[in-house]
Amino acid sequence: MNEEWCLGCHLCEYFCAFVNSGEKYMPKAFALNRQNVPNITVEEGDRINFAVNCRQCDEPLCKKGCITGAISVKDGVVTIDTEKCVGCFTCILSCPYGAVVPNKEGKAAKKCELCISNGGIPACVTNCPNRAIVLEEVY
Amino acid sequence: MPINYIYPEYEIIRDKNKCIKCKVCVRQCSNEAHTYDEELDCLYEHNERCVNCHRCVALCPTRALKIVKTDHTFRENYNFTGELINEIYRQAESGGVLLSSMGNPKPFPVYWDKLLINASQVTNPSIDPLREPMETKVFLGKKVSKVEFDENGEVITKGYPNLELSMPILFSAMSYGSISKNAHEALARAAQELGIYYNTGEGGLHKDFYKYGKNTIVQVASGRFGVHKGYLEAGAAIEIKMGQGAKPGIGGHLPGEKIGEDISATRMIPQGTDAISPAPHHDIYSIEDLRQLVYSLKEATNYEKPVIVKIAAVHNVAAIASGIARSGADIIAIDGFRGGTGAAPTRIRDNVGIPIELALAAVDQRLREEGIRNEVSIVIAGSIRNSADIVKAVALGADAVYIGTAALLAIGCHLCRDCQSGKCNWGIATQREDLVKRLNPDIAYKRLVNLLTAWNHEIMEMMGGMGINSIEALRGNRLMLRGVGLNEKELEIFGIKHAGE
Amino acid sequence: MIKREGEIRIPSGCAICGFINKSGKKVSGDVIVKSISYMHDRSNGLGGGFAGYGIYPEYKDLYAFHIFFEDLNARVETERFLEKYFDIVNLSRIPVKKVKSITDSPLIWRYFVEPISTKLAASQLDEKEYVVQKVLKINSDIKGAYVFSSGKNMGVFKAVGFPEDIGEFYRLEEYEGYMWTAHGRYPTNTPGWWGGAHPFALLDHTIVHNGEISSYDANRRFVEMFGYVCTLLTDTEVITYIFDYLTRRQNLSYTDVANIIAAPFWEHIERMEPNQREKFKFFRNTFSSLLITGPFSILVGFEGGLMALNDRLKLRSMVAAEKDDTLYVASEECAIRAICPDVDKIWSPKGGEPIIATLYEKEGASICR
């Protein structure tokens, strides 16, 4: 995330919510359910805007706090197994970035998993109009 | 409430079925043409504020927006068109000079579109640029007229300082002030990567851009903003701006509100003061004065850099160019009446000057008749729109072309022609920090590189078709052109035949 | 009405050949006629010609003007002009033989002249420049007159027809020269004019050329800045002027000229030694408008030497051969084998690589510099 180029246009939030909604047509995704919650949030400052999503921590606090072992790190991506998640939301409380949120049913937690199940390149990256969000491998 | 005479020119059409109320349009429009009402959860369009720049259209994630020309109309009048009527209303209200931006949009003939390019058939082979070398390298500057040798037959003549370009294209002068720092950075980096040049315009050279000096042409204009020794030494060439195609005969005016800290430092004027470039250089009232400035600049830079003199294409352009060629200039830049601007009086932009195609043909021919074509290179500007225009320009006699508008289009400009407002939604013609950051130079410079790489390929393809494998063999090769729909006089000025002849 | 050379640009394909005996041994003109006749199919009967060097030993210090006149008026006017600027030492009709296929012959005259010394001095020009200016003046200003050969101890013979018929017409077997070049033309439409045939000549430079250069107008408009007037609109004419400009006015060697008109590609220049690179870059930049593109193979005859050159992509055939003291060059090998069946060496020169041969007596002496 390069805040120098973030325009605060919030498109990342909408594309994130859209690709994670399971719908194929964007207007439908938003018409059906106004409760779409994106996994990325743009924080607007006076002059600086910053889109926040999961930092994919090496030793995530959310994982540490998870009572059912639903959170794991696979290939550097922190993922939540919704089958195991019981919706205690300890992870939401423990994430210092506010990157974990309840899913739309409110029964489990969800977070940015870098669009791994949506075809690879995160929707927020492809759709950022000013290349403020980029996907880089960290070694 | 006073009577509002003017109906908005454009209408914003929102497809309510597609709109997801993401409000990107609201956030991105610096003219506040979109607003959101929280109470009603509803988006409104304010057509009177819309300049038709397409920022909202381009960013709308569901393609729910489009801008259309209003069908609201005056009673049909061929003479007093709606545009003219509105302009009179505006002036009657403001009492001011009408201002416009970018190039002349009026329906004057576009001669590029009346010139056609030749190709080889049977009697000589076309050349495939993918298989054979195809050269577009160009040198700009004065050429040696007599080669001298030493007793061993080795050449002892030293050439004059020349600019070396990988392709016959340069970025036109656009000052830091008229365009944003990010736009300048994109031009500079693209010029460096492509092996060509960009031009500072009259706004000086920002301290961060001295590192691009080898690919920079530094301009000395009538306001002399930002001109100092280090500046002159930083560039690869120095351009004296005598005139601009969009506004021949008048100067420039950058309003004080655009003169922030950075621009103030770069232009060397106090913050918040208007930067006014006088109409003439007040030390150049005639051709002999120009000669003095040319040589002062050469003296100041140790005769190591070519000096360009840029003029607007006006009626007597051939004679003026001839005078400039004899004044020590190494390169003459001629800007046609379609050339762009960040702001010009509308009447001047639309009515003063002549088409660059005719100016170029006349200048090249005149310099040849006088035997001094080799004393100077000719660079033309003023609406080069694509690679075919460049091929035609070179065939008419240009050494290279300046592109301004096309370069801005490549980085996002939508030619809404509202630069003078300073609220460019694309981050180009603005100094507002939140707008400037919309232009990410990493993206923009690459788009410029892409555009020119594509054009260069197309130039090579057209050259290959003509059986020419080096651009110098195309320069002034008017036999490669034919006219369509041109009258005898026009053909005579172009020095070409009509198609079919 | 069909336009003739000068009113329209006519592309054409061609046959060329030539040879030089470097020891200066004279060879009769029928040899070159035989050589070119083997390439009959490369021309179509619409033009051809020959240039012979060393053919006028008795007048070797005088300019030999060969002139076509369309009518008597043109001759009278031209002679009046010549008398004003030159001492005419000898004048005569060029002897010809009636040949069935050669028709519409103009009046063909030969003048051996030298500039009037006082006029030359008054002109403040060097002698060659003086002669060139007068020749160009006749060609552009006197209607119906055309000087098609103007060098010393050499001459051009050309006409509309097949080259072998033209050789017979001009009785070339009666001339002996150390060097001959020949041309057979295949124009794409019908020029009815003898002046348009090749070789093209200015002073002792003669050029025969096969090709169609794509840089024509760029080259023409550049040389015309220096007083040359391209009246024929042919490639050969402009190439001749380029040679004249570069060798006589700029004092460049024939090798340098080749490196300018068929310049190496930039990628090649970049790989050269620094000194060499600077020189080539300087030449390409300084004389950029004299780069010739498109296909050509040319033979340039000059006093005491011959240069053969192909365009830099070698888009036209050209073969060279050696036998003892003689260098042969031709569009096709058959034209060489026809007159020299047992060559010592035969090869196909690379594009842009000049082959230059000079008389042994001229060797070491600098050519044009």
Side-chain angles (χ1 to χ4, degrees), chain B residues 232-244:
Chain B
L232 296 177
E233 282 168 354
I238 302 168
E239 180 172 273
I240 301 173
K241 178 198 176 186
M242 297 304 303
Q244 184 177 344

Side-chain angles (χ1 to χ4, degrees), chain C residues 35-319:
Chain C
S35 175
I36 191 94
S37 70
Y38 273 69
M39 297 187 288
H40 182 88
D41 282 355
R42 294 186 74 93
S43 43
N44 63 359
L46 293 175
F50 301 85
Y53 285 77
I55 59 173
Y56 297 133
E58 64 276 34
Y59 293 113
K60 64 182 170 48
D61 295 325
L62 300 175
Y63 292 95
F65 286 6
H66 292 189
I67 311 183
F68 291 136
F69 298 117
E70 283 180 10
D71 51 43
L72 199 58
N73 281 343
R75 198 188 116 200
V76 171
E77 201 182 330
T78 304
E79 287 182 357
R80 197 179 301 139
F81 179 86
L82 287 176
E83 278 164 5
K84 204 162 146 192
Y85 296 103
F86 297 94
D87 285 325
I88 302 177
V89 179
N90 185 328
L91 79 172
S92 63
R93 266 175 181 273
I94 293 182
V96 296
K97 175 177 161 192
K98 287 281 171 220
V99 175
K100 204 171 168 192
S101 60
I102 307 278
T103 54
D104 293 330
S105 167
L107 307 170
I108 310 169
W109 282 71
R110 173 162 57 207
Y111 301 82
F112 291 101
V113 303
E114 64 181 337
I116 295 173
S117 55
T118 51
K119 290 270 171 68
L120 175 62
S123 73
Q124 300 188 19
L125 297 170
D126 81 52
E127 184 179 301
K128 285 183 170 181
E129 181 63 26
Y130 177 91
V131 176
V132 167
Q133 287 192 7
K134 301 311 168 211
V135 167
L136 295 178
K137 181 91 178 152
I138 294 171
N139 290 353
S140 61
D141 288 7
I142 301 181
K143 197 174 170 297
Y146 188 73
V147 182
F148 63 98
S149 185
S150 52
K152 286 179 180 174
N153 198 11
M154 55 77 66
V156 169
F157 305 90
K158 62 186 184 180
V160 174
F162 280 102
E164 57 272 25
D165 298 337
I166 293 163
E168 190 184 349
F169 173 81
Y170 278 110
R171 298 156 58 171
L172 288 191
E173 66 280 6
E174 294 170 14
Y175 298 87
E176 285 197 327
Y178 62 85
M179 173 166 88
W180 287 94
T181 61
H183 184 258
R185 193 164 186 228
Y186 199 135
T188 48
N189 63 1
T190 315
W193 189 48
W194 288 39
H198 301 157
F200 187 84
L202 187 67
L203 296 177
D204 60 315
H205 270 137
T206 60
I207 295 197
V208 291
H209 149 80
N210 170 22
E212 184 190 339
I213 61 175
S214 52
S215 56
Y216 175 79
D217 222 25
N219 304 142
R220 174 187 71 87
R221 297 183 70 229
F222 184 80
V223 293
E224 286 197 345
M225 280 208 288
F226 307 102
Y228 301 97
V229 184
C230 293
T231 52
L232 298 180
L233 306 186
T234 59
D235 294 351
T236 317
E237 176 187 45
V238 82
I239 295 172
T240 308
Y241 292 156
I242 290 172
F243 269 89
D244 184 67
Y245 174 73
L246 290 176
T247 57
R248 193 168 58 78
R249 302 232 196 141
Q250 293 287 354
N251 229 6
L252 298 179
S253 70
Y254 284 91
T255 314
D256 289 340
V257 175
N259 290 333
I260 287 166
I261 67 173
F265 289 99
W266 286 116
E267 57 183 43
H268 182 187
I269 293 175
E270 292 308 325
R271 290 197 301 264
M272 293 176 176
E273 295 296 309
N275 274 346
Q276 195 73 341
R277 183 167 65 224
E278 282 314 303
K279 181 180 170 184
F280 274 76
K281 203 169 158 183
F282 173 77
F283 277 150
R284 264 200 87 166
N285 182 12
T286 303
F287 299 112
S288 62
S289 292
L290 297 178
L291 176 75
I292 300 178
T293 59
F296 68 84
S297 60
I298 54 172
L299 289 179
V300 184
F302 50 92
E303 195 191 338
L306 178 69
M307 171 163 112
L309 182 68
N310 252 149
D311 66 87
R312 53 198 197 145
L313 288 181
K314 196 166 174 78
L315 297 169
R316 281 288 186 271
S317 57
M318 192 170 78
V319 185

Side-chain angles (χ1 to χ4, degrees), chain B residues 211-455:
Chain B
K211 59 179 179 232
Y212 303 112
K214 268 194 238 160
N215 297 87
T216 306
I217 294 170
V218 293
Q219 199 181 58
V220 174
S222 59
R224 303 286 155 87
F225 297 120
V227 177
H228 55 88
K229 192 162 186 288
Y231 172 76
L232 296 177
E233 282 168 354
I238 302 168
E239 180 172 273
I240 301 173
K241 178 198 176 186
M242 297 304 303
Q244 184 177 344
K247 41 182 173 179
I250 66 165
H253 179 183
L254 191 68
E257 63 251 33
K258 289 193 184 177
I259 315 282
E261 192 180 335
D262 245 11
I263 293 185
S264 142
T266 307
R267 294 206 173 205
M268 307 193 303
I269 52 170
Q271 275 188 49
T273 53
D274 287 8
I276 296 177
S277 303
H281 286 246
H282 282 300
D283 53 358
I284 303 178
Y285 283 5
S286 184
I287 190 84
E288 64 273 19
D289 299 336
L290 174 67
R291 189 183 174 83
Q292 293 201 0
L293 181 58
V294 169
Y295 279 96
S296 310
L297 293 171
K298 288 191 172 187
E299 195 70 43
T301 52
N302 206 20
Y303 294 84
E304 283 165 358
K305 298 174 198 296
V307 171
I308 306 168
V309 174
K310 178 182 179 180
I311 53 167
V314 290
H315 300 181
N316 205 16
V317 66
I320 295 164
S322 161
I324 293 170
R326 296 169 198 281
S327 303
D330 302 275
I331 300 164
I332 302 178
I334 312 165
D335 193 9
F337 82 147
R338 284 179 188 281
T341 173
T346 310
R347 293 292 168 254
I348 287 182
R349 185 195 66 173
D350 294 352
N351 295 283
V352 179
I354 63 170
I356 190 59
E357 302 92 323
L358 293 168
L360 165 62
V363 169
D364 177 69
Q365 185 57 29
R366 170 68 78 93
L367 296 183
R368 285 172 195 267
E369 280 165 11
E370 297 186 14
I372 53 174
R373 180 64 184 80
N374 238 12
E375 298 286 303
V376 284
S377 291
I378 300 176
V379 178
I380 63 148
S383 207
I384 294 292
R385 305 159 304 163
N386 55 43
S387 57
D389 289 356
I390 298 174
V391 169
K392 292 167 188 177
V394 173
L396 280 176
D399 289 87
V401 303
Y402 266 135
I403 61 164
T405 303
L408 295 187
L409 287 171
I411 61 175
C413 169
H414 277 59
L415 264 184
C416 70
R417 312 200 296 264
D418 199 45
C419 320
Q420 75 276 6
S421 73
K423 293 196 285 191
C424 176
N425 270 320
W426 293 92
I428 299 168
T430 180
Q431 302 304 327
R432 232 173 76 181
E433 208 175 321
D434 61 320
L435 299 178
V436 171
K437 75 187 297 185
R438 293 183 182 182
L439 186 69
N440 181 343
D442 286 343
I443 303 175
Y445 106 89
K446 190 68 191 151
R447 291 180 65 86
L448 288 167
V449 171
N450 286 346
L451 177 76
L452 265 58
T453 305
W455 282 15

